[in-house]
Each structure stands twice: as C-alpha cells, then as structure tokens.
Amino acid sequence: AAIFGEVSYKFTDVLKFTAGLRYSDLQYYGVVQEREQGLFGTLNVNTPSSGSSRPVTPRFVLNYQPNSDSLYYASAAKGFRPGGINTTLPDSCFAGTGVSPAAAAAPFSSDSLWQYEIGTKDSLFDRRMTVSAAIYYIKWKNMQQFVYLACGLGIDYNTGEVTGKGGDLEIQWRALDALTLGVTASYTDSSFDNNVVLGTSDRIVTSGDHLQASPWNLDLNGEYVWTAPEVKPYLRLDYQY
C-alpha cells in the first residue's frame, strides 16, 4: 500500500519547482517446506518468514524552460526496492563463515538510493534535431545482491553502499524528410564504498569493486522510409556496443 502527493509552483513563466512525497507500507511473507535427499544429506525445511518496511521517498525537480524548444532541469529523488525472504540452507554452505543457517535465512532488507541529476532537452534546426543530455550522481545504500556460497547455493544479502556517477547523450536528427539518424551514448561508473564480510571471515565485497555492468554503451541507428507508396516500407540499420 502507498500514498503519494506532488505539488508544483511557478516562480516565473519559465521557472517551476516540483516537490513530491511517497509513503509505502510493505509486508512480505513466505513459507518454505522442503524435504530433500541429496549431496548434503537429508534436508528438512519448514521455514515461515516475514518482513516489512515503510520507506518514505521524496522527489524534487527545478525546471527552467526559456521557450518551447528548450528545457533545463535539476532533480533529486529517492527510490527503493522492497526486501524479501530467504530459505534455510544446509550447514555445509556456511562452513568457516561463522554464520548459522537460521541467521542467513532471515529476511533481507529494502535497499534505497538517492539520485541527483542535471540535464537538458532541446529541439534545434526547426525541430529537425532533438538533443537530450544528463549527468548524474547516485548514493545507493543497503544494496541487495545474490551471494553464491561455497556449496553452490546462495542467499540474497544486503551488501553495503555503492557510489555511482555517469551521464548520457541522445541525439535524433531528421536529415531528410525520409531519413532519420540517431545516436545514444552513456557512461556509468559504480563501485562499492566499503568491504562487506559474510559472518566473521568470508569477504564477499572489497571496497572499490565495480558493479557488473559495461561502463560504456553506444547505439547508432539510421532509418529510411519510402514515403510515396501507400504502404511505406523502411530500411533500418542499428549498431550497438
């Protein structure tokens, strides 16, 4: 369940401020019932589990729009991802970690982040070209991550804090009435701020580790449409990196 509200105020015809707030009430439940005879011996599980969180997530945006073809903005917004439940794993999965299977089966918490962004959206050359660009900075707390254990199984675990920064650029150009060219490029750099240890000795994250994502992404595209026929065929080429 959630409740949300937003208000906007125009200081002038070209300057507008927006503020919003969301309150959420999350309740999650689960029961794992399992009997397994396998590599780890006989596994009997009857694990009821539950968790809850009540995140409050604000959003603030300042827009400057000097004309109908240009928009400049700065924003700050908080987001979250719900937590969830784990199941009880065999004792052998936690050998040498100092973690009990019961403790590892505890629910994992919600994670949250603040994103700060500045950007622009512009139409140029009699609106034949559109340009959108932004740079951002992210602080991500209590990040959820699936952690593989020595036994080959795993649990969802809150693995600490991440700092991310980057930017993106998108250009669409109608070079001819029938031909549109486009480019989208983005860069992101996200890494952990601290070491994270499972139990007493099993380090699963080292400060400075990067998230598993390509830092650079590029998309080039072109599309030509035969406009004369009633049925308008087109040719499109895409290159992605």
Side-chain angles (χ1 to χ4, degrees):
I3 185 170
F4 171 78
E6 185 174 270
V7 295
S8 294
Y9 180 77
K10 295 188 75 171
F11 296 101
T12 68
D13 289 340
V14 299
L15 189 64
K16 182 175 74 171
F17 178 72
T18 300
L21 188 69
R22 180 187 298 274
Y23 170 79
S24 304
D25 185 357
L26 308 175
Q27 310 286 335
Y28 33 92
Y29 310 90
V31 177
V32 178
Q33 293 179 312
E34 183 179 1
R35 178 179 172 85
E36 180 181 342
Q37 182 73 40
L39 278 175
F40 310 109
T42 300
L43 175 64
N44 290 286
V45 174
N46 185 356
T47 312
S49 187
S50 63
S52 65
S53 61
R54 295 175 176 83
V56 177
T57 48
R59 171 178 177 264
F60 307 99
V61 183
L62 183 65
N63 284 335
Y64 174 65
Q65 189 169 10
N67 54 61
S68 59
D69 292 331
S70 298
L71 170 68
Y72 307 94
Y73 68 90
S75 68
K78 186 179 183 181
F80 76 94
R81 179 169 47 173
I85 62 170
N86 283 304
T87 185
T88 302
L89 298 179
D91 293 353
S92 57
C93 289
F94 304 97
T97 66
V99 177
S100 70
F108 58 96
S109 303
S110 297
D111 56 359
S112 65
L113 61 79
W114 272 99
Q115 174 165 314
Y116 307 92
E117 182 175 328
I118 58 175
T120 179
K121 301 176 186 293
D122 295 282
S123 296
L124 307 169
F125 309 124
D126 198 24
R127 300 188 177 180
R128 297 184 72 89
M129 177 182 286
T130 58
V131 179
S132 298
I135 58 174
Y136 64 85
Y137 179 81
I138 289 175
K139 291 297 292 185
W140 194 345
K141 292 187 176 182
N142 224 21
M143 180 185 174
Q144 299 171 14
Q145 196 166 28
F146 187 79
V147 176
Y148 284 99
L149 304 170
C151 64
L153 304 175
I155 58 173
D156 287 294
Y157 195 70
N158 296 106
T159 56
E161 299 188 5
V162 170
T163 297
K165 47 189 177 293
D168 56 73
L169 173 68
E170 181 179 1
I171 300 173
Q172 291 291 316
W173 178 36
R174 191 153 53 92
L176 303 170
D177 288 344
L179 177 64
T180 301
L181 303 174
V183 57
T184 302
S186 63
Y187 172 76
T188 183
D189 178 18
S190 301
S191 58
F192 285 92
D193 297 339
N194 51 298
N195 299 332
V196 179
V197 177
L198 180 66
T200 57
S201 60
D202 190 7
R203 179 184 294 186
I204 56 177
V205 169
T206 298
S207 177
D209 284 352
H210 284 77
L211 300 190
Q212 295 179 346
S214 170
W216 288 100
N217 290 273
L218 177 67
D219 180 280
L220 303 175
N221 58 77
E223 184 172 293
Y224 187 90
V225 181
W226 280 266
T227 57
E230 182 178 346
V231 177
K232 295 176 172 54
Y234 69 91
L235 173 67
R236 181 177 178 88
L237 297 175
D238 283 276
Y239 171 78
Q240 293 181 334
Y241 171 81

Coordinates of all heavy atoms in Angstrom, one line a residue, residues 147-190:
V147 N 24.3 -13.7 -3.3 CA 25.6 -14.1 -2.9 C 25.7 -15.6 -3.1 O 24.9 -16.4 -2.4 CB 25.9 -13.7 -1.5 CG1 27.3 -14.2 -1.1 CG2 25.9 -12.2 -1.4
Y148 N 26.6 -16.1 -3.9 CA 26.8 -17.5 -4.1 C 27.7 -18.0 -2.9 O 28.7 -17.4 -2.6 CB 27.4 -17.9 -5.4 CG 26.5 -17.8 -6.6 CD1 26.4 -16.7 -7.4 CD2 25.6 -18.8 -6.8 CE1 25.5 -16.6 -8.4 CE2 24.7 -18.8 -7.9 CZ 24.7 -17.7 -8.7 OH 23.8 -17.6 -9.7
L149 N 27.4 -19.1 -2.4 CA 28.2 -19.7 -1.3 C 29.0 -20.9 -1.8 O 28.9 -21.3 -2.9 CB 27.2 -20.2 -0.2 CG 26.3 -19.1 0.4 CD1 25.2 -19.7 1.3 CD2 27.1 -18.0 1.1
A150 N 29.9 -21.4 -0.9 CA 30.8 -22.4 -1.3 C 30.1 -23.7 -1.8 O 30.7 -24.5 -2.6 CB 31.8 -22.8 -0.2
C151 N 28.9 -23.9 -1.3 CA 28.2 -25.2 -1.7 C 27.5 -25.0 -3.1 O 26.9 -26.0 -3.5 CB 27.1 -25.5 -0.6 SG 25.8 -24.2 -0.5
G152 N 27.5 -23.9 -3.7 CA 26.9 -23.7 -5.0 C 25.5 -23.1 -4.9 O 25.0 -22.7 -5.9
L153 N 24.9 -23.0 -3.7 CA 23.7 -22.3 -3.5 C 23.9 -20.9 -3.0 O 25.1 -20.5 -3.0 CB 22.8 -23.1 -2.4 CG 22.6 -24.6 -2.7 CD1 21.9 -25.3 -1.6 CD2 21.8 -24.7 -4.0
G154 N 22.9 -20.2 -2.7 CA 23.1 -18.8 -2.3 C 21.9 -18.2 -1.6 O 20.9 -18.8 -1.5
I155 N 22.2 -16.9 -1.2 CA 21.1 -16.2 -0.5 C 21.1 -14.7 -1.0 O 22.1 -14.3 -1.6 CB 21.4 -16.1 1.1 CG1 22.7 -15.5 1.4 CG2 21.2 -17.5 1.7 CD1 23.0 -15.3 2.9
D156 N 20.0 -14.0 -0.8 CA 20.0 -12.6 -1.1 C 20.5 -11.9 0.2 O 20.1 -12.2 1.3 CB 18.6 -12.1 -1.4 CG 18.2 -12.6 -2.8 OD1 18.7 -12.1 -3.7 OD2 17.2 -13.4 -2.9
Y157 N 21.4 -10.9 0.0 CA 22.1 -10.3 1.1 C 22.2 -8.8 0.9 O 22.4 -8.4 -0.3 CB 23.5 -11.0 1.2 CG 24.2 -10.7 2.5 CD1 23.8 -11.3 3.7 CD2 25.4 -9.9 2.5 CE1 24.5 -11.1 4.9 CE2 26.1 -9.7 3.7 CZ 25.6 -10.3 4.9 OH 26.3 -10.1 6.1
N158 N 22.2 -8.0 1.9 CA 22.4 -6.6 1.8 C 23.9 -6.3 1.9 O 24.5 -6.5 3.0 CB 21.7 -5.8 2.9 CG 20.2 -6.0 2.8 OD1 19.5 -6.7 3.5 ND2 19.6 -5.3 1.8
T159 N 24.5 -5.8 0.8 CA 26.0 -5.8 0.7 C 26.6 -4.4 0.8 O 27.7 -4.2 0.3 CB 26.4 -6.4 -0.6 OG1 25.8 -5.7 -1.7 CG2 26.1 -7.9 -0.7
G160 N 26.0 -3.5 1.5 CA 26.6 -2.2 1.7 C 26.3 -1.1 0.8 O 25.2 -1.1 0.2
E161 N 27.2 -0.1 0.7 CA 26.9 1.1 -0.1 C 27.7 1.2 -1.4 O 28.8 0.7 -1.5 CB 27.3 2.3 0.8 CG 26.5 2.4 2.1 CD 26.7 3.7 2.9 OE1 27.4 4.6 2.3 OE2 26.2 3.8 4.0
V162 N 27.0 1.8 -2.4 CA 27.6 2.0 -3.7 C 27.5 3.4 -4.1 O 26.5 4.1 -3.8 CB 26.9 1.1 -4.7 CG1 27.3 1.5 -6.2 CG2 27.1 -0.4 -4.4
T163 N 28.6 4.0 -4.7 CA 28.5 5.3 -5.3 C 28.6 5.1 -6.8 O 29.4 4.4 -7.4 CB 29.7 6.2 -4.9 OG1 29.6 6.4 -3.5 CG2 29.7 7.5 -5.6
G164 N 27.7 5.8 -7.5 CA 27.6 5.7 -9.0 C 27.6 7.1 -9.6 O 27.1 8.1 -9.0
K165 N 28.2 7.3 -10.7 CA 28.2 8.5 -11.4 C 28.3 8.3 -12.9 O 28.9 7.3 -13.4 CB 29.3 9.5 -11.0 CG 30.7 8.8 -10.9 CD 31.7 9.7 -10.2 CE 33.1 9.1 -10.0 NZ 33.0 8.0 -9.1
G166 N 27.8 9.2 -13.7 CA 27.8 9.0 -15.2 C 27.0 10.0 -15.9 O 26.6 11.0 -15.3
G167 N 26.7 9.7 -17.1 CA 25.9 10.6 -17.9 C 25.5 9.9 -19.2 O 25.9 8.8 -19.5
D168 N 24.6 10.6 -19.9 CA 24.1 10.0 -21.2 C 23.7 11.1 -22.2 O 23.4 12.3 -21.7 CB 22.9 9.1 -21.0 CG 21.7 9.7 -20.3 OD1 21.1 10.6 -20.9 OD2 21.5 9.4 -19.1
L169 N 23.8 10.8 -23.4 CA 23.5 11.7 -24.5 C 22.7 11.0 -25.6 O 23.0 9.9 -26.0 CB 24.8 12.2 -25.1 CG 24.7 13.1 -26.4 CD1 24.1 14.5 -26.1 CD2 26.1 13.3 -27.0
E170 N 21.6 11.7 -26.0 CA 20.8 11.1 -27.1 C 20.5 12.2 -28.1 O 20.1 13.3 -27.8 CB 19.5 10.6 -26.5 CG 18.6 10.0 -27.6 CD 17.3 9.4 -27.1 OE1 17.1 9.5 -25.8 OE2 16.5 8.9 -27.9
I171 N 20.8 11.9 -29.4 CA 20.6 12.8 -30.5 C 19.7 12.1 -31.6 O 20.1 11.0 -32.0 CB 21.9 13.3 -31.1 CG1 22.7 14.0 -30.0 CG2 21.6 14.3 -32.3 CD1 24.1 14.4 -30.5
Q172 N 18.7 12.7 -32.0 CA 17.9 12.3 -33.2 C 17.9 13.4 -34.2 O 17.5 14.5 -33.9 CB 16.5 11.9 -32.7 CG 16.4 10.7 -31.9 CD 16.7 9.4 -32.6 OE1 16.3 9.2 -33.8 NE2 17.5 8.5 -32.0
W173 N 18.3 13.1 -35.4 CA 18.3 14.1 -36.5 C 17.6 13.6 -37.7 O 17.9 12.6 -38.3 CB 19.8 14.4 -36.8 CG 20.0 15.4 -37.9 CD1 19.3 16.5 -38.2 CD2 21.0 15.3 -38.9 NE1 19.8 17.2 -39.3 CE2 20.9 16.5 -39.8 CE3 22.1 14.5 -39.2 CZ2 21.7 16.8 -40.8 CZ3 22.9 14.7 -40.3 CH2 22.7 15.9 -41.1
R174 N 16.6 14.4 -38.1 CA 15.9 14.1 -39.4 C 16.6 14.8 -40.5 O 16.3 16.0 -40.8 CB 14.4 14.6 -39.2 CG 13.5 14.1 -40.4 CD 12.1 14.0 -40.0 NE 11.6 15.2 -39.4 CZ 11.0 16.2 -40.0 NH1 10.8 16.0 -41.3 NH2 10.5 17.2 -39.4
A175 N 17.6 14.2 -41.0 CA 18.5 14.8 -42.0 C 17.7 15.1 -43.3 O 18.0 16.1 -44.0 CB 19.7 13.9 -42.3
L176 N 16.8 14.2 -43.7 CA 15.9 14.4 -44.8 C 14.5 14.0 -44.3 O 14.4 13.4 -43.3 CB 16.3 13.5 -46.0 CG 17.8 13.6 -46.5 CD1 18.1 12.5 -47.5 CD2 18.0 15.0 -47.2
D177 N 13.5 14.4 -45.1 CA 12.2 14.0 -44.7 C 12.0 12.5 -44.5 O 11.2 12.0 -43.7 CB 11.1 14.5 -45.7 CG 11.0 16.0 -45.6 OD1 11.5 16.6 -44.6 OD2 10.5 16.6 -46.6
A178 N 12.8 11.7 -45.3 CA 12.7 10.3 -45.3 C 13.7 9.6 -44.4 O 13.7 8.4 -44.2 CB 12.7 9.7 -46.7
L179 N 14.8 10.4 -44.0 CA 15.9 9.8 -43.3 C 16.1 10.4 -41.9 O 16.2 11.6 -41.8 CB 17.2 10.0 -44.2 CG 18.5 9.5 -43.6 CD1 18.5 8.0 -43.5 CD2 19.7 10.0 -44.4
T180 N 16.2 9.5 -40.9 CA 16.4 9.9 -39.6 C 17.7 9.1 -39.1 O 17.8 7.9 -39.2 CB 15.2 9.5 -38.7 OG1 14.1 10.2 -39.1 CG2 15.5 10.0 -37.2
L181 N 18.6 9.9 -38.5 CA 19.8 9.3 -37.9 C 19.8 9.6 -36.4 O 19.3 10.6 -35.9 CB 21.0 10.0 -38.5 CG 21.2 10.0 -40.0 CD1 22.3 10.8 -40.5 CD2 21.3 8.5 -40.5
G182 N 20.4 8.6 -35.7 CA 20.3 8.8 -34.2 C 21.6 8.2 -33.6 O 22.2 7.3 -34.1
V183 N 21.9 8.7 -32.4 CA 23.0 8.2 -31.6 C 22.6 8.3 -30.1 O 22.0 9.3 -29.7 CB 24.3 9.0 -31.8 CG1 24.2 10.4 -31.6 CG2 25.4 8.4 -31.0
T184 N 22.8 7.3 -29.4 CA 22.7 7.3 -27.9 C 23.9 6.7 -27.3 O 24.4 5.7 -27.7 CB 21.5 6.4 -27.5 OG1 20.3 6.8 -28.1 CG2 21.3 6.4 -26.0
A185 N 24.5 7.5 -26.4 CA 25.7 7.1 -25.7 C 25.6 7.3 -24.2 O 25.0 8.3 -23.8 CB 26.9 7.9 -26.3
S186 N 26.2 6.4 -23.4 CA 26.1 6.6 -22.0 C 27.4 6.1 -21.3 O 28.0 5.1 -21.9 CB 24.9 5.9 -21.4 OG 25.0 4.5 -21.6
Y187 N 27.7 6.6 -20.2 CA 28.8 6.2 -19.4 C 28.4 6.1 -17.9 O 27.7 6.9 -17.4 CB 30.0 7.1 -19.5 CG 31.1 6.8 -18.5 CD1 32.0 5.8 -18.8 CD2 31.3 7.5 -17.4 CE1 33.0 5.4 -17.9 CE2 32.3 7.2 -16.5 CZ 33.2 6.2 -16.8 OH 34.2 5.9 -15.9
T188 N 28.8 5.0 -17.3 CA 28.5 4.8 -15.9 C 29.7 4.2 -15.1 O 30.3 3.3 -15.7 CB 27.2 4.0 -15.6 OG1 26.9 3.9 -14.2 CG2 27.4 2.6 -16.1
D189 N 29.9 4.7 -13.9 CA 31.0 4.2 -13.1 C 30.4 4.0 -11.7 O 30.1 5.0 -11.0 CB 32.1 5.2 -13.1 CG 33.3 4.7 -12.2 OD1 33.3 3.5 -11.8 OD2 34.1 5.5 -11.8
S190 N 30.2 2.7 -11.3 CA 29.6 2.4 -10.0 C 30.4 1.4 -9.2 O 30.8 0.4 -9.8 CB 28.2 1.8 -10.2 OG 27.3 2.8 -10.9

